[in-house]
Amino acid sequence: MYRAPVEEIAFTLKHVAGLKDALEEGRFGDLSEDLVDAILAEAGRFSSEEIAPLYKAGDQQGAVLKDGAVTTPPGWKELYRHWIEGGWNGLTGPVEYGGQGLPMMLAVAALEMWNSGAMAFAIGPTLTMGAIEALEKHATEELKATYLAKLVSGEWMGTMNLTEPQAGSDLAALRTRAERAGDGTYRIFGQKIFITYGEHDFTDNIVHLVLARLPDAPAGTRGISLFLVPKFLVNEDGSLGRRNDAFCASIEHKLGIHGSPTCTMIYGDGFVRGEEKGAVGWLIGEENRGLACMFTMMNNARLAVGMQGVAVAEAAFQKALAYAQERRQGRAEGDAGKEMSPIVLHPDVKRMLLTMQALTHAARSISYACAHALDMAKVAGDAKHWQERAALLTPIAKAFSTDVGVDVASLGVQVHGGMGYIEETGAASLLRDARIAPIYEGTNGIQAIDLVTRKLPLSGGDQVKGYIAELRAGIEALRSSNLPGLGRSTDRLAAAVEDLEMATGFLGRALAEGRTQEALAGATPYLRLFALAAGGAYLARAAVAANGGKRAALCRFYAENLVSETSALKDRVIEGAESLAAAEFA
Ligand SMILES: Cc1cc2nc3c(=O)[nH]c(=O)nc-3n(C[C@H](O)[C@H](O)[C@H](O)COP(=O)(O)OP(=O)(O)OC[C@H]3O[C@@H](n4cnc5c(N)ncnc54)[C@H](O)[C@@H]3O)c2cc1C
């Protein structure tokens, strides 16, 4: 069973991602290290003792739709209640609406642990957190007064409605219609698919944030508006009024995260008898500027989905390590015991386990560093720099961490041998869960395109240059630490950063010279190259902060066994486009 790695998480937050410095500089008021530790310990306890034991029920029984109502797996409704009673929903929520206003770094750390417990459970509140942020930034005071406190407390949950059958990655194709009702409200008509927690029994009301198009809107993404569409309308005194014309028509049967209902939502189909047609909606932000508002929610959600990758990877690693220490096969060299050896003693199994651990640490560090940048953008003087840093790291945190989630969960199955393929060990279900994260919240292919075309050009390329210089400085700090047992770590990590620099320079030139197709062809290998180089620098930082020991050994393993992949990735970025363009399907 999963045990939250609270100490590891606290170490990474403080010594790798920058929380300790920020606390010492007083960036977060009177938040102290002790309080951080206490919050992490309790979030970890909740995950290990309350969420993880209900994982299996979620996977095996899943969410069920009957007569338009969705029932979540046995025990999950009560779990949600405990969770909101613990005040967890409002961790980063605005203080004026009952939230605790804590840094994003704490939220992502807690999210990691909750997702390790059961990703299908934690995804629901994640969407509510995104909805809170979008409303806080873009909604009218009236909407905030009606909805925010209840979303912050968790009494109501939020959803995010973008996808339609013909509009997935390409939201310009969106067709859901919004009409002005003449009284300041709107009527929404259309179908949304794949809506996570679109219907459920956790809360009495559900607050849908829905992208739709006004009749006179310009074509494409510039003609999309964002609306708040509650399941139940809200009376002036805050009580629930009539049912809105927003219904779940079906839920999906899917590979993993079975506990999370994935709903087809129908807006304005006239299901509410005796009322005028159309789901009643309220505009968020300005007409035709909805995508920008939704991006507030999506950026937050992208990092949160990255945390799902880290979370599943951690859970898979723990499970595989425990199995490898118990399972005996063959005789490992040097094992003095008389029986067969635990498989963890075989070099190939140890290699798999260390790969799992090192990739998980790298993805965690990058994701926490992204959260740190988001926090600094709010509290530091140089907001633009930190906003850009967060923007640069968001696609990497999302795509690399979720790829790591799949890779590590797959290795976890391999460590278990045949038992990994059998459902009862739980290794297989982690792999099934992990597989969605590279797809939703913008596929990893779309993240790579975002990184190359929108993030590399930030501040004329200076943001990425500055970041690469920081990575290099971290590796040089490892070199000058003279820690024992580092082998060729510093040279290997420094070579990876050089690969990153060369590939970045190539892509910058390709974009400047209008060779966009060439740049796009290399986007995915570039993102992985970027993440591997950055992950190495963070592992180096951890080794220095811990003054050697296990962290230095893990850093060395990563440097000498994993990071050299950057050289091949750089070649793919620089030389791969021509053969890609030339190849044809027979
Ligand atoms: C379990 C689950 C939960 C979900 N939850 C939600 C939710 O709560 N709310 C919501 O709105 N949506 C949700 N989604 C939808 C999800 O966000 C989309 O599936 C995702 O954005 C991809 O869109 P698509 O499925 O239409 O794939 P497509 O857009 O058809 O993509 C197919 C492939 O083509 C690639 N591709 C597409 N366009 C390009 C391009 N321009 N350049 C390069 N490659 C490209 C993609 O990377 C992908 O590999 C969920 C989906 C699932 C399965």
PDB file of all heavy atoms in Angstrom, residues 127 160-165 167-170 193-196 254 257 262 436 439-446 449, ligand 1:
ATOM      1  N   LEU A 127     -10.121  20.052 -10.601  1.00  0.00           N
ATOM      2  CA  LEU A 127     -10.894  20.888 -11.519  1.00  0.00           C
ATOM      3  C   LEU A 127     -11.575  22.020 -10.758  1.00  0.00           C
ATOM      4  O   LEU A 127     -11.670  23.143 -11.249  1.00  0.00           O
ATOM      5  CB  LEU A 127     -11.915  20.026 -12.265  1.00  0.00           C
ATOM      6  CG  LEU A 127     -11.251  19.087 -13.278  1.00  0.00           C
ATOM      7  CD1 LEU A 127     -12.192  17.976 -13.707  1.00  0.00           C
ATOM      8  CD2 LEU A 127     -10.778  19.870 -14.500  1.00  0.00           C
ATOM      9  N   MET A 160     -14.848  21.581 -16.155  1.00  0.00           N
ATOM     10  CA  MET A 160     -14.235  22.328 -17.242  1.00  0.00           C
ATOM     11  C   MET A 160     -14.732  21.708 -18.554  1.00  0.00           C
ATOM     12  O   MET A 160     -14.481  20.542 -18.822  1.00  0.00           O
ATOM     13  CB  MET A 160     -12.745  22.115 -17.062  1.00  0.00           C
ATOM     14  CG  MET A 160     -11.866  22.678 -18.042  1.00  0.00           C
ATOM     15  SD  MET A 160     -10.248  22.607 -17.203  1.00  0.00           S
ATOM     16  CE  MET A 160      -9.206  22.733 -18.614  1.00  0.00           C
ATOM     17  N   ASN A 161     -15.507  22.492 -19.328  1.00  0.00           N
ATOM     18  CA  ASN A 161     -16.167  21.951 -20.526  1.00  0.00           C
ATOM     19  C   ASN A 161     -15.611  22.588 -21.793  1.00  0.00           C
ATOM     20  O   ASN A 161     -16.081  23.649 -22.214  1.00  0.00           O
ATOM     21  CB  ASN A 161     -17.666  22.251 -20.482  1.00  0.00           C
ATOM     22  CG  ASN A 161     -18.410  21.477 -19.420  1.00  0.00           C
ATOM     23  OD1 ASN A 161     -19.332  20.726 -19.715  1.00  0.00           O
ATOM     24  ND2 ASN A 161     -18.042  21.671 -18.163  1.00  0.00           N
ATOM     25  N   LEU A 162     -14.629  21.930 -22.369  1.00  0.00           N
ATOM     26  CA  LEU A 162     -14.087  22.419 -23.647  1.00  0.00           C
ATOM     27  C   LEU A 162     -14.462  21.479 -24.785  1.00  0.00           C
ATOM     28  O   LEU A 162     -14.959  21.894 -25.816  1.00  0.00           O
ATOM     29  CB  LEU A 162     -12.551  22.492 -23.588  1.00  0.00           C
ATOM     30  CG  LEU A 162     -11.893  23.486 -22.661  1.00  0.00           C
ATOM     31  CD1 LEU A 162     -11.760  22.935 -21.265  1.00  0.00           C
ATOM     32  CD2 LEU A 162     -10.519  23.847 -23.179  1.00  0.00           C
ATOM     33  N   THR A 163     -14.194  20.190 -24.576  1.00  0.00           N
ATOM     34  CA  THR A 163     -14.169  19.239 -25.685  1.00  0.00           C
ATOM     35  C   THR A 163     -15.547  18.949 -26.272  1.00  0.00           C
ATOM     36  O   THR A 163     -16.533  18.797 -25.550  1.00  0.00           O
ATOM     37  CB  THR A 163     -13.517  17.930 -25.194  1.00  0.00           C
ATOM     38  OG1 THR A 163     -12.284  18.257 -24.567  1.00  0.00           O
ATOM     39  CG2 THR A 163     -13.269  16.971 -26.328  1.00  0.00           C
ATOM     40  N   GLU A 164     -15.585  18.889 -27.597  1.00  0.00           N
ATOM     41  CA  GLU A 164     -16.776  18.469 -28.342  1.00  0.00           C
ATOM     42  C   GLU A 164     -16.321  17.408 -29.340  1.00  0.00           C
ATOM     43  O   GLU A 164     -15.113  17.305 -29.605  1.00  0.00           O
ATOM     44  CB  GLU A 164     -17.395  19.672 -29.071  1.00  0.00           C
ATOM     45  CG  GLU A 164     -17.862  20.757 -28.102  1.00  0.00           C
ATOM     46  CD  GLU A 164     -18.388  22.011 -28.800  1.00  0.00           C
ATOM     47  OE1 GLU A 164     -18.624  21.974 -30.026  1.00  0.00           O
ATOM     48  OE2 GLU A 164     -18.552  23.021 -28.099  1.00  0.00           O
ATOM     49  N   PRO A 165     -17.272  16.651 -29.907  1.00  0.00           N
ATOM     50  CA  PRO A 165     -16.824  15.565 -30.790  1.00  0.00           C
ATOM     51  C   PRO A 165     -15.869  16.030 -31.892  1.00  0.00           C
ATOM     52  O   PRO A 165     -14.887  15.350 -32.191  1.00  0.00           O
ATOM     53  CB  PRO A 165     -18.138  15.032 -31.372  1.00  0.00           C
ATOM     54  CG  PRO A 165     -19.162  15.352 -30.333  1.00  0.00           C
ATOM     55  CD  PRO A 165     -18.724  16.642 -29.705  1.00  0.00           C
ATOM     56  N   ALA A 167     -14.178  18.944 -31.823  1.00  0.00           N
ATOM     57  CA  ALA A 167     -13.236  19.951 -31.306  1.00  0.00           C
ATOM     58  C   ALA A 167     -12.502  19.416 -30.085  1.00  0.00           C
ATOM     59  O   ALA A 167     -13.017  19.467 -28.970  1.00  0.00           O
ATOM     60  CB  ALA A 167     -13.976  21.248 -30.948  1.00  0.00           C
ATOM     61  N   GLY A 168     -11.314  18.851 -30.340  1.00  0.00           N
ATOM     62  CA  GLY A 168     -10.490  18.346 -29.241  1.00  0.00           C
ATOM     63  C   GLY A 168      -9.307  19.280 -29.052  1.00  0.00           C
ATOM     64  O   GLY A 168      -9.423  20.329 -28.415  1.00  0.00           O
ATOM     65  N   SER A 169      -8.187  18.933 -29.679  1.00  0.00           N
ATOM     66  CA  SER A 169      -7.021  19.829 -29.605  1.00  0.00           C
ATOM     67  C   SER A 169      -7.333  21.165 -30.274  1.00  0.00           C
ATOM     68  O   SER A 169      -6.788  22.200 -29.907  1.00  0.00           O
ATOM     69  CB  SER A 169      -5.823  19.194 -30.319  1.00  0.00           C
ATOM     70  OG  SER A 169      -5.507  17.959 -29.744  1.00  0.00           O
ATOM     71  N   ASP A 170      -8.209  21.137 -31.275  1.00  0.00           N
ATOM     72  CA  ASP A 170      -8.499  22.348 -32.052  1.00  0.00           C
ATOM     73  C   ASP A 170      -9.813  22.975 -31.595  1.00  0.00           C
ATOM     74  O   ASP A 170     -10.886  22.660 -32.118  1.00  0.00           O
ATOM     75  CB  ASP A 170      -8.569  21.969 -33.542  1.00  0.00           C
ATOM     76  CG  ASP A 170      -8.703  23.192 -34.418  1.00  0.00           C
ATOM     77  OD1 ASP A 170      -8.747  24.319 -33.867  1.00  0.00           O
ATOM     78  OD2 ASP A 170      -8.759  23.028 -35.649  1.00  0.00           O
ATOM     79  N   ILE A 193     -18.230  16.568 -24.696  1.00  0.00           N
ATOM     80  CA  ILE A 193     -17.893  15.174 -24.387  1.00  0.00           C
ATOM     81  C   ILE A 193     -16.676  15.115 -23.458  1.00  0.00           C
ATOM     82  O   ILE A 193     -15.919  16.076 -23.359  1.00  0.00           O
ATOM     83  CB  ILE A 193     -17.625  14.327 -25.653  1.00  0.00           C
ATOM     84  CG1 ILE A 193     -16.447  14.900 -26.459  1.00  0.00           C
ATOM     85  CG2 ILE A 193     -18.877  14.235 -26.518  1.00  0.00           C
ATOM     86  CD1 ILE A 193     -15.938  13.935 -27.535  1.00  0.00           C
ATOM     87  N   PHE A 194     -16.544  13.962 -22.800  1.00  0.00           N
ATOM     88  CA  PHE A 194     -15.377  13.679 -21.940  1.00  0.00           C
ATOM     89  C   PHE A 194     -15.273  14.640 -20.750  1.00  0.00           C
ATOM     90  O   PHE A 194     -14.162  15.048 -20.390  1.00  0.00           O
ATOM     91  CB  PHE A 194     -14.065  13.755 -22.738  1.00  0.00           C
ATOM     92  CG  PHE A 194     -13.933  12.779 -23.877  1.00  0.00           C
ATOM     93  CD1 PHE A 194     -13.026  13.014 -24.898  1.00  0.00           C
ATOM     94  CD2 PHE A 194     -14.684  11.623 -23.926  1.00  0.00           C
ATOM     95  CE1 PHE A 194     -12.862  12.124 -25.953  1.00  0.00           C
ATOM     96  CE2 PHE A 194     -14.539  10.721 -24.975  1.00  0.00           C
ATOM     97  CZ  PHE A 194     -13.631  10.971 -25.986  1.00  0.00           C
ATOM     98  N   ILE A 195     -16.387  15.045 -20.187  1.00  0.00           N
ATOM     99  CA  ILE A 195     -16.314  16.026 -19.097  1.00  0.00           C
ATOM    100  C   ILE A 195     -16.137  15.319 -17.752  1.00  0.00           C
ATOM    101  O   ILE A 195     -17.047  14.625 -17.270  1.00  0.00           O
ATOM    102  CB  ILE A 195     -17.555  16.953 -19.100  1.00  0.00           C
ATOM    103  CG1 ILE A 195     -17.700  17.600 -20.483  1.00  0.00           C
ATOM    104  CG2 ILE A 195     -17.461  17.993 -17.987  1.00  0.00           C
ATOM    105  CD1 ILE A 195     -16.454  18.292 -21.030  1.00  0.00           C
ATOM    106  N   THR A 196     -14.972  15.518 -17.175  1.00  0.00           N
ATOM    107  CA  THR A 196     -14.605  14.860 -15.921  1.00  0.00           C
ATOM    108  C   THR A 196     -15.470  15.384 -14.772  1.00  0.00           C
ATOM    109  O   THR A 196     -15.588  16.602 -14.600  1.00  0.00           O
ATOM    110  CB  THR A 196     -13.103  15.121 -15.641  1.00  0.00           C
ATOM    111  OG1 THR A 196     -12.357  14.566 -16.724  1.00  0.00           O
ATOM    112  CG2 THR A 196     -12.666  14.483 -14.331  1.00  0.00           C
ATOM    113  N   LYS A 254     -13.773   3.208 -19.811  1.00  0.00           N
ATOM    114  CA  LYS A 254     -12.430   3.601 -20.243  1.00  0.00           C
ATOM    115  C   LYS A 254     -11.329   2.752 -19.624  1.00  0.00           C
ATOM    116  O   LYS A 254     -11.565   1.956 -18.717  1.00  0.00           O
ATOM    117  CB  LYS A 254     -12.210   5.091 -19.976  1.00  0.00           C
ATOM    118  CG  LYS A 254     -12.496   5.542 -18.554  1.00  0.00           C
ATOM    119  CD  LYS A 254     -12.543   7.062 -18.522  1.00  0.00           C
ATOM    120  CE  LYS A 254     -12.525   7.592 -17.106  1.00  0.00           C
ATOM    121  NZ  LYS A 254     -13.761   7.313 -16.342  1.00  0.00           N
ATOM    122  N   ILE A 257      -8.615   5.183 -14.513  1.00  0.00           N
ATOM    123  CA  ILE A 257      -9.336   6.132 -13.633  1.00  0.00           C
ATOM    124  C   ILE A 257     -10.853   5.864 -13.628  1.00  0.00           C
ATOM    125  O   ILE A 257     -11.664   6.763 -13.861  1.00  0.00           O
ATOM    126  CB  ILE A 257      -8.973   7.612 -13.898  1.00  0.00           C
ATOM    127  CG1 ILE A 257      -9.195   8.058 -15.337  1.00  0.00           C
ATOM    128  CG2 ILE A 257      -7.571   7.928 -13.465  1.00  0.00           C
ATOM    129  CD1 ILE A 257      -9.156   9.620 -15.498  1.00  0.00           C
ATOM    130  N   THR A 262     -16.596  10.206 -16.553  1.00  0.00           N
ATOM    131  CA  THR A 262     -16.254  10.997 -17.747  1.00  0.00           C
ATOM    132  C   THR A 262     -17.543  11.136 -18.549  1.00  0.00           C
ATOM    133  O   THR A 262     -18.012  10.171 -19.152  1.00  0.00           O
ATOM    134  CB  THR A 262     -15.163  10.268 -18.563  1.00  0.00           C
ATOM    135  OG1 THR A 262     -14.062   9.979 -17.696  1.00  0.00           O
ATOM    136  CG2 THR A 262     -14.687  11.097 -19.728  1.00  0.00           C
ATOM    137  N   ILE A 436      -3.926   8.099 -19.320  1.00  0.00           N
ATOM    138  CA  ILE A 436      -4.730   9.251 -19.761  1.00  0.00           C
ATOM    139  C   ILE A 436      -3.966  10.563 -19.643  1.00  0.00           C
ATOM    140  O   ILE A 436      -4.184  11.503 -20.415  1.00  0.00           O
ATOM    141  CB  ILE A 436      -6.075   9.355 -18.976  1.00  0.00           C
ATOM    142  CG1 ILE A 436      -6.924  10.532 -19.487  1.00  0.00           C
ATOM    143  CG2 ILE A 436      -5.863   9.487 -17.490  1.00  0.00           C
ATOM    144  CD1 ILE A 436      -7.261  10.490 -20.946  1.00  0.00           C
ATOM    145  N   ILE A 439      -2.672  12.545 -22.429  1.00  0.00           N
ATOM    146  CA  ILE A 439      -3.686  12.889 -23.442  1.00  0.00           C
ATOM    147  C   ILE A 439      -4.499  14.117 -23.030  1.00  0.00           C
ATOM    148  O   ILE A 439      -4.665  15.047 -23.819  1.00  0.00           O
ATOM    149  CB  ILE A 439      -4.624  11.677 -23.684  1.00  0.00           C
ATOM    150  CG1 ILE A 439      -3.837  10.499 -24.252  1.00  0.00           C
ATOM    151  CG2 ILE A 439      -5.778  12.064 -24.620  1.00  0.00           C
ATOM    152  CD1 ILE A 439      -4.631   9.202 -24.353  1.00  0.00           C
ATOM    153  N   TYR A 440      -5.025  14.114 -21.795  1.00  0.00           N
ATOM    154  CA  TYR A 440      -5.930  15.251 -21.495  1.00  0.00           C
ATOM    155  C   TYR A 440      -5.174  16.489 -21.028  1.00  0.00           C
ATOM    156  O   TYR A 440      -3.971  16.463 -20.856  1.00  0.00           O
ATOM    157  CB  TYR A 440      -7.077  14.855 -20.577  1.00  0.00           C
ATOM    158  CG  TYR A 440      -6.843  14.286 -19.201  1.00  0.00           C
ATOM    159  CD1 TYR A 440      -5.670  14.449 -18.486  1.00  0.00           C
ATOM    160  CD2 TYR A 440      -7.878  13.568 -18.580  1.00  0.00           C
ATOM    161  CE1 TYR A 440      -5.523  13.929 -17.207  1.00  0.00           C
ATOM    162  CE2 TYR A 440      -7.745  13.045 -17.300  1.00  0.00           C
ATOM    163  CZ  TYR A 440      -6.555  13.234 -16.619  1.00  0.00           C
ATOM    164  OH  TYR A 440      -6.426  12.719 -15.366  1.00  0.00           O
ATOM    165  N   GLU A 441      -5.914  17.574 -20.930  1.00  0.00           N
ATOM    166  CA  GLU A 441      -5.337  18.909 -20.630  1.00  0.00           C
ATOM    167  C   GLU A 441      -4.351  19.353 -21.704  1.00  0.00           C
ATOM    168  O   GLU A 441      -3.329  19.961 -21.399  1.00  0.00           O
ATOM    169  CB  GLU A 441      -4.602  18.902 -19.278  1.00  0.00           C
ATOM    170  CG  GLU A 441      -5.448  19.140 -18.085  1.00  0.00           C
ATOM    171  CD  GLU A 441      -6.476  20.224 -18.286  1.00  0.00           C
ATOM    172  OE1 GLU A 441      -6.178  21.283 -18.861  1.00  0.00           O
ATOM    173  OE2 GLU A 441      -7.594  19.995 -17.847  1.00  0.00           O
ATOM    174  N   GLY A 442      -4.654  19.046 -22.958  1.00  0.00           N
ATOM    175  CA  GLY A 442      -3.734  19.342 -24.048  1.00  0.00           C
ATOM    176  C   GLY A 442      -2.773  18.181 -24.161  1.00  0.00           C
ATOM    177  O   GLY A 442      -1.998  17.919 -23.226  1.00  0.00           O
ATOM    178  N   THR A 443      -2.822  17.456 -25.274  1.00  0.00           N
ATOM    179  CA  THR A 443      -1.962  16.274 -25.416  1.00  0.00           C
ATOM    180  C   THR A 443      -0.494  16.690 -25.272  1.00  0.00           C
ATOM    181  O   THR A 443      -0.154  17.867 -25.440  1.00  0.00           O
ATOM    182  CB  THR A 443      -2.139  15.624 -26.806  1.00  0.00           C
ATOM    183  OG1 THR A 443      -1.688  16.560 -27.791  1.00  0.00           O
ATOM    184  CG2 THR A 443      -3.582  15.226 -27.075  1.00  0.00           C
ATOM    185  N   ASN A 444       0.348  15.705 -25.019  1.00  0.00           N
ATOM    186  CA  ASN A 444       1.765  16.039 -24.855  1.00  0.00           C
ATOM    187  C   ASN A 444       2.371  16.564 -26.150  1.00  0.00           C
ATOM    188  O   ASN A 444       3.316  17.356 -26.116  1.00  0.00           O
ATOM    189  CB  ASN A 444       2.538  14.834 -24.313  1.00  0.00           C
ATOM    190  CG  ASN A 444       2.241  14.644 -22.824  1.00  0.00           C
ATOM    191  OD1 ASN A 444       1.457  15.387 -22.243  1.00  0.00           O
ATOM    192  ND2 ASN A 444       2.875  13.654 -22.215  1.00  0.00           N
ATOM    193  N   GLY A 445       1.810  16.156 -27.279  1.00  0.00           N
ATOM    194  CA  GLY A 445       2.266  16.729 -28.556  1.00  0.00           C
ATOM    195  C   GLY A 445       1.972  18.219 -28.609  1.00  0.00           C
ATOM    196  O   GLY A 445       2.804  19.027 -29.048  1.00  0.00           O
ATOM    197  N   ILE A 446       0.793  18.589 -28.124  1.00  0.00           N
ATOM    198  CA  ILE A 446       0.415  20.013 -28.112  1.00  0.00           C
ATOM    199  C   ILE A 446       1.293  20.780 -27.105  1.00  0.00           C
ATOM    200  O   ILE A 446       1.674  21.927 -27.348  1.00  0.00           O
ATOM    201  CB  ILE A 446      -1.092  20.152 -27.772  1.00  0.00           C
ATOM    202  CG1 ILE A 446      -1.958  19.466 -28.848  1.00  0.00           C
ATOM    203  CG2 ILE A 446      -1.494  21.612 -27.563  1.00  0.00           C
ATOM    204  CD1 ILE A 446      -1.926  20.083 -30.228  1.00  0.00           C
ATOM    205  N   ILE A 449       4.560  21.573 -28.793  1.00  0.00           N
ATOM    206  CA  ILE A 449       4.409  22.674 -29.762  1.00  0.00           C
ATOM    207  C   ILE A 449       4.345  24.009 -29.012  1.00  0.00           C
ATOM    208  O   ILE A 449       4.945  25.008 -29.411  1.00  0.00           O
ATOM    209  CB  ILE A 449       3.135  22.449 -30.613  1.00  0.00           C
ATOM    210  CG1 ILE A 449       3.326  21.232 -31.513  1.00  0.00           C
ATOM    211  CG2 ILE A 449       2.791  23.687 -31.423  1.00  0.00           C
ATOM    212  CD1 ILE A 449       2.052  20.772 -32.217  1.00  0.00           C
TER     213      ILE A 449
HETATM  214  C1  LIG B   1     -10.779  10.437 -19.376  1.00  0.00           C
HETATM  215  C2  LIG B   1     -10.843  11.765 -20.054  1.00  0.00           C
HETATM  216  C3  LIG B   1     -11.158  12.896 -19.321  1.00  0.00           C
HETATM  217  C4  LIG B   1     -11.256  14.130 -19.957  1.00  0.00           C
HETATM  218  N1  LIG B   1     -11.661  15.233 -19.242  1.00  0.00           N
HETATM  219  C5  LIG B   1     -11.960  16.373 -19.908  1.00  0.00           C
HETATM  220  C6  LIG B   1     -12.610  17.468 -19.245  1.00  0.00           C
HETATM  221  O1  LIG B   1     -12.862  17.429 -18.032  1.00  0.00           O
HETATM  222  N2  LIG B   1     -12.943  18.562 -19.972  1.00  0.00           N
HETATM  223  C7  LIG B   1     -12.694  18.657 -21.306  1.00  0.00           C
HETATM  224  O2  LIG B   1     -13.032  19.663 -21.898  1.00  0.00           O
HETATM  225  N3  LIG B   1     -12.076  17.649 -21.972  1.00  0.00           N
HETATM  226  C8  LIG B   1     -11.712  16.514 -21.302  1.00  0.00           C
HETATM  227  N4  LIG B   1     -11.126  15.472 -21.966  1.00  0.00           N
HETATM  228  C9  LIG B   1     -10.812  15.623 -23.379  1.00  0.00           C
HETATM  229  C10 LIG B   1      -9.317  15.757 -23.634  1.00  0.00           C
HETATM  230  O3  LIG B   1      -8.846  16.976 -23.142  1.00  0.00           O
HETATM  231  C11 LIG B   1      -9.105  15.551 -25.136  1.00  0.00           C
HETATM  232  O4  LIG B   1      -9.297  14.189 -25.398  1.00  0.00           O
HETATM  233  C12 LIG B   1      -7.718  16.016 -25.575  1.00  0.00           C
HETATM  234  O5  LIG B   1      -7.605  17.406 -25.518  1.00  0.00           O
HETATM  235  C13 LIG B   1      -7.377  15.568 -26.998  1.00  0.00           C
HETATM  236  O6  LIG B   1      -8.399  15.862 -27.895  1.00  0.00           O
HETATM  237  P1  LIG B   1      -8.966  14.714 -28.861  1.00  0.00           P
HETATM  238  O7  LIG B   1      -9.292  13.544 -28.011  1.00  0.00           O
HETATM  239  O8  LIG B   1     -10.023  15.280 -29.701  1.00  0.00           O
HETATM  240  O9  LIG B   1      -7.721  14.296 -29.738  1.00  0.00           O
HETATM  241  P2  LIG B   1      -7.281  14.994 -31.107  1.00  0.00           P
HETATM  242  O10 LIG B   1      -7.253  16.473 -30.949  1.00  0.00           O
HETATM  243  O11 LIG B   1      -8.066  14.426 -32.220  1.00  0.00           O
HETATM  244  O12 LIG B   1      -5.770  14.489 -31.224  1.00  0.00           O
HETATM  245  C14 LIG B   1      -5.397  13.205 -31.734  1.00  0.00           C
HETATM  246  C15 LIG B   1      -3.880  13.187 -31.923  1.00  0.00           C
HETATM  247  O13 LIG B   1      -3.493  14.192 -32.868  1.00  0.00           O
HETATM  248  C16 LIG B   1      -2.546  15.073 -32.316  1.00  0.00           C
HETATM  249  N5  LIG B   1      -2.787  16.433 -32.808  1.00  0.00           N
HETATM  250  C17 LIG B   1      -3.967  17.088 -32.885  1.00  0.00           C
HETATM  251  N6  LIG B   1      -3.777  18.323 -33.384  1.00  0.00           N
HETATM  252  C18 LIG B   1      -2.472  18.463 -33.619  1.00  0.00           C
HETATM  253  C19 LIG B   1      -1.646  19.517 -34.126  1.00  0.00           C
HETATM  254  N7  LIG B   1      -2.138  20.704 -34.464  1.00  0.00           N
HETATM  255  N8  LIG B   1      -0.309  19.293 -34.238  1.00  0.00           N
HETATM  256  C20 LIG B   1       0.219  18.115 -33.859  1.00  0.00           C
HETATM  257  N9  LIG B   1      -0.496  17.091 -33.381  1.00  0.00           N
HETATM  258  C21 LIG B   1      -1.825  17.262 -33.257  1.00  0.00           C
HETATM  259  C22 LIG B   1      -2.717  14.964 -30.800  1.00  0.00           C
HETATM  260  O14 LIG B   1      -1.530  15.312 -30.092  1.00  0.00           O
HETATM  261  C23 LIG B   1      -3.105  13.505 -30.642  1.00  0.00           C
HETATM  262  O15 LIG B   1      -1.957  12.709 -30.577  1.00  0.00           O
HETATM  263  C24 LIG B   1     -10.985  14.232 -21.338  1.00  0.00           C
HETATM  264  C25 LIG B   1     -10.631  13.095 -22.071  1.00  0.00           C
HETATM  265  C26 LIG B   1     -10.587  11.869 -21.455  1.00  0.00           C
HETATM  266  C27 LIG B   1     -10.281  10.658 -22.285  1.00  0.00           C
END
